[in-house]
Amino acid sequence: MTMNFRIDVTASTCSLLAGLIHIGAYQGWWWTPPSSGTDLFWRLGGSVVLIVIAVIIVATVVRASNADAPERDERETQAGLKAAYYTAMAFSGVGTLLLIYAFTPLSPMLLAHSLIGVICLAELTRLSSLLYYLNRGL
């Protein structure tokens, strides 16, 4: 694995975990659901800050421990392009369904958390297809 791949997988895993935590909080599995849009924005902003900090820490550790590892190879680039394609298909397909249901009487909080779910599903698609194509070969 190259350095960029490890950092990419870390960023994907952290963002997926943050999205699942937000959806779980909305469902009432832990904490309380956000009471207002401002509360949701503070939670999302805090998640973004924590993701950036985690990626910086992992990038620093990976660069320090694997100084002679290659940045990126051709196989990872092609797998990344295929993963991006499937991510765009998942995001646009499920996003279209969300837009169809957006005009039904949904609460704004349900719509916001549905969008977080769409992003999580697209990120899960990207991560799984990236790992699949790297293991399978192109």
Side-chain angles (χ1 to χ4, degrees):
M1 269 197 269
T2 61
M3 286 191 266
N4 287 344
F5 179 72
R6 290 179 182 158
I7 296 166
D8 192 20
V9 168
T10 301
S12 294
T13 305
C14 288
S15 63
L16 188 60
L17 182 64
L20 293 176
I21 288 172
H22 284 288
I23 291 172
Y26 177 70
Q27 294 294 327
W29 296 335
W30 41 79
W31 304 312
T32 59
S35 58
S36 65
T38 305
D39 189 23
L40 176 67
F41 292 140
W42 275 106
R43 289 182 185 191
L44 290 175
S47 295
V48 169
V49 168
L50 291 176
I51 290 169
V52 168
I53 290 171
V55 169
I56 288 172
I57 290 170
V58 168
T60 305
V61 169
V62 166
R63 295 239 184 237
S65 63
N66 297 330
D68 57 343
E71 286 288 326
R72 184 176 288 271
D73 61 359
E74 183 66 28
R75 192 172 65 114
E76 281 184 9
T77 303
Q78 289 180 354
L81 288 174
K82 283 190 176 268
Y85 172 76
Y86 289 118
T87 302
M89 291 297 118
F91 190 72
S92 62
V94 180
T96 302
L97 290 175
L98 182 62
L99 285 175
I100 290 171
Y101 288 111
F103 297 106
T104 62
L106 295 177
S107 70
M109 201 59 75
L110 177 62
L111 194 59
H113 283 86
S114 298
L115 183 59
I116 292 171
V118 168
I119 293 169
C120 284
L121 182 68
E123 191 64 36
L124 184 64
T125 302
R126 186 181 84 79
L127 190 58
S128 61
S129 61
L130 183 66
L131 293 174
Y132 173 77
Y133 282 114
L134 282 175
N135 288 334
R136 179 182 163 262
L138 299 174

